[in-house]
Amino acid sequence: MKTIKLTGNVLILIIILFTSCIALRKKNLVKQLKNVEPDPKVFCVTLKTKIEDYLYVKAKIGDRAEEQKFLFDTGSPLTYSFKTKDSFNLKTKKYFRFGSKKAAYGSGSITLGNVKFNNAGFIVLQGDIMEEMKDLEGLIGSSILQTSICELNFEDSTIKISNDLSNFTNIQNIYSSDFEPSEAQGTPVVKIAIGKDTVTAFIDTGFDGIIKLSQKEKISIDAASKEESFSNGRYFGGPDKDHFFYRTYYQVHQMRISGMKMDSIVIMQYPEYYGRNLVGLGFLKKFIITIDWIHHRIYFKPIEEINFKKNIYTYGFTCLMQNKQLRVCNIYKGSEFEKAGIKSGDIIVSINKKKDFSDAIISTINSNKPGNDSIQIEIKNKQTLTLKKNALFKINYLR
């Protein structure tokens, strides 16, 4: 009995020591993220950006002469991969290690155009996107921009960074609101009104979608229409065959951001996602965005008429190539696919009697755009269905 009690006390002590170490390291990391010093003191630089699924810019690490490729991510602090840490001999301290997951932190300098940000605190992570993209050195996060004003111009593919508001001309007579910077990294947090409810969300250029809701948000039936889809984790990265990835789609009757009113916009919720609500690149690139970290204000200047998708048009499923086989990925609930007993992960044998699956036909199936053409889908060991694209939401609400 004494042995059990002693073992329990030792475990409690270990947990306390581990938690205390993490708390102290977090305090040091937060301090480093807030210490950035731009050089020169007054500056204005314009960077060309490459806009694909994400925003990409060039930057120099330390005193290196050559530029490296970074993803521009307002939803993160300045972040490097462990590959970058090792190749550039960056000095760091351990933040945590738990099994195969690990993180470290440090500070140094990084140069954007002709502006050198000294004492730039950074974190080193094992990130999925950095491991998938071998030529990516890290993320240019919002932590180094907290003493700056930043214009994301999706009209001419440039990013302007300055600490003088007079250098920005796209902030007059447009949509704007105050924001709260999130903790040490400084990500802008804005308010979104969905019906009668108000939620907060990150302005996150590292998310490629329109709006992503955390599973903790509850959207009432009065605020939005609701539809769902699912995919089987056995085939798409889940822990076991009985794990399913669910997506919930809302056609919001009315939504407001920074004074903008939008009717019937379709947004998404990931029930397995526990993080912050996100306003992503799919939304932001409709505007010229000016983020004023100095005065905590954000400006949205529409590039053209504000127009977001108000419905999803689907054959009832999506598909993807996996190990040279075309498989059913997501299945929408209530679709002919679900009614026919077809499962996520089933193999597609032919489309319109053709077994050569071009990127064009896969793109047509997965596209959210309306279409009049029907398709014939043959599923291995099951059946053949003829399907038409239908609107996921039967009614567009204009209230």
Side-chain angles (χ1 to χ4, degrees):
M1 190 70 178
K2 288 183 179 180
T3 303
I4 295 173
K5 186 175 181 180
L6 179 61
T7 302
N9 290 336
V10 170
L11 287 174
I12 292 171
L13 182 60
I14 290 172
I15 291 170
I16 292 172
L17 289 173
F18 178 78
T19 304
S20 299
C21 286
I22 291 296
L24 179 61
R25 290 169 186 169
K26 181 178 180 179
K27 183 178 180 180
N28 291 335
L29 170 61
V30 166
K31 183 178 179 180
Q32 288 194 325
L33 290 179
K34 289 178 174 289
N35 285 343
V36 63
E37 298 175 357
D39 181 23
K41 299 296 183 183
V42 180
F43 59 89
C44 184
V45 61
T46 299
L47 309 172
K48 289 297 292 182
T49 181
K50 186 176 181 182
I51 305 173
E52 295 173 350
D53 292 333
Y54 301 99
L55 286 177
Y56 298 101
V57 295
K58 296 286 188 177
K60 297 178 183 178
I61 299 175
D63 295 323
R64 299 294 181 103
E66 70 277 10
E67 292 185 318
Q68 289 79 39
K69 181 180 177 181
F70 285 83
L71 188 150
F72 193 90
D73 184 5
T74 58
S76 299
L78 176 62
T79 306
Y80 297 122
S81 66
F82 275 90
K83 168 182 69 73
T84 303
K85 170 191 173 297
D86 295 338
S87 62
F88 287 89
N89 297 315
L90 301 176
K91 294 182 179 180
T92 62
K93 295 181 180 179
K94 182 173 72 172
Y95 185 39
F96 73 80
R97 178 154 193 164
F98 189 76
S100 61
K101 297 294 182 182
K102 59 180 179 178
Y105 67 97
S107 64
S109 68
I110 188 164
T111 302
L112 298 173
N114 61 359
V115 184
K116 188 174 185 178
F117 294 90
N118 295 307
N119 295 324
F122 61 82
I123 192 165
V124 184
L125 289 176
Q126 290 176 312
D128 293 338
I129 190 167
M130 289 184 286
E131 291 170 5
E132 292 170 7
M133 302 176 64
K134 303 301 181 183
D135 61 339
L136 193 69
E137 298 294 346
L139 312 174
I140 299 295
S142 56
S143 58
I144 66 170
L145 302 171
Q146 293 184 64
T147 58
S148 306
I149 303 158
C150 179
E151 178 188 87
L152 307 177
N153 193 323
F154 294 99
E155 188 171 41
D156 62 10
S157 300
T158 60
I159 297 175
K160 182 190 291 185
I161 304 172
S162 176
N163 53 3
D164 184 349
L165 192 60
S166 66
N167 288 317
F168 299 89
T169 59
N170 293 302
I171 60 174
Q172 301 298 325
N173 302 318
I174 58 175
Y175 302 104
S176 67
S177 65
D178 294 334
F179 71 80
E180 290 291 332
S182 174
E183 300 176 347
Q185 70 189 48
T187 294
V189 178
V190 297
K191 293 180 179 179
I192 304 177
I194 300 176
K196 296 179 181 179
D197 300 321
T198 299
V199 302
T200 59
F202 270 10
I203 297 293
D204 187 2
T205 57
F207 168 55
D208 60 348
I210 295 175
I211 291 176
K212 177 178 180 178
L213 295 180
S214 167
Q215 63 92 35
K216 64 185 178 182
E217 299 295 348
K218 307 299 181 185
I219 306 299
S220 69
I221 192 170
D222 293 330
S225 299
K226 176 181 175 182
E227 297 287 351
E228 294 181 309
S229 70
F230 59 91
S231 59
N232 193 313
R234 176 181 180 182
Y235 299 101
F236 307 110
D240 55 58
K241 67 179 181 179
D242 296 322
H243 180 86
F244 286 84
F245 297 101
Y246 291 91
R247 297 289 180 266
T248 304
Y249 310 89
Y250 293 101
Q251 187 187 57
V252 180
H253 304 334
Q254 188 178 91
M255 187 174 74
R256 298 180 300 280
I257 299 178
S258 298
M260 290 179 283
K261 292 183 180 180
M262 290 159 282
D263 293 312
S264 305
I265 183 172
V266 176
I267 63 177
M268 190 180 297
Q269 186 173 48
Y270 295 64
E272 71 273 13
Y273 172 64
Y274 287 82
R276 286 271 198 167
N277 302 319
L278 305 178
V279 178
L281 207 57
F283 182 93
L284 301 174
K285 64 185 180 183
K286 301 277 188 178
F287 306 89
I288 297 173
I289 309 291
T290 304
I291 304 173
D292 184 348
W293 270 279
I294 298 173
H295 305 100
H296 298 165
R297 194 157 186 86
I298 187 167
Y299 303 84
F300 296 85
K301 181 180 179 180
I303 295 173
E304 52 192 30
E305 182 181 355
I306 302 173
N307 185 22
F308 291 96
K309 68 180 181 183
K310 297 187 175 184
N311 218 321
I312 293 175
Y313 296 88
T314 176
Y315 288 107
F317 73 102
T318 62
C319 58
L320 60 73
M321 292 296 295
Q322 188 184 63
N323 300 325
K324 298 182 180 181
Q325 292 180 317
L326 187 63
R327 289 186 182 270
V328 176
C329 185
N330 288 286
I331 295 177
Y332 288 89
K333 287 190 174 182
S335 66
E336 294 301 317
F337 247 46
E338 186 189 36
K339 292 175 183 177
I342 295 169
K343 305 296 184 183
S344 172
D346 282 351
I347 298 171
I348 297 174
V349 176
S350 69
I351 300 175
N352 293 334
K353 299 183 179 180
K354 294 181 180 179
K355 298 184 179 182
D356 181 19
F357 306 120
S358 65
D359 291 339
I361 188 63
I362 295 173
S363 178
T364 297
I365 290 172
N366 292 339
S367 169
N368 287 328
K369 297 178 180 179
N372 296 320
D373 295 337
S374 61
I375 59 169
Q376 188 182 78
I377 300 285
E378 182 186 357
I379 305 296
K380 185 177 180 180
N381 298 330
K382 293 202 174 176
Q383 56 185 296
T384 299
L385 295 176
T386 300
L387 303 170
K388 289 185 177 182
K389 266 197 174 181
N390 293 304
L392 187 64
F393 297 97
K394 305 308 179 187
I395 302 173
N396 279 323
Y397 287 86
L398 297 173
R399 297 184 177 182

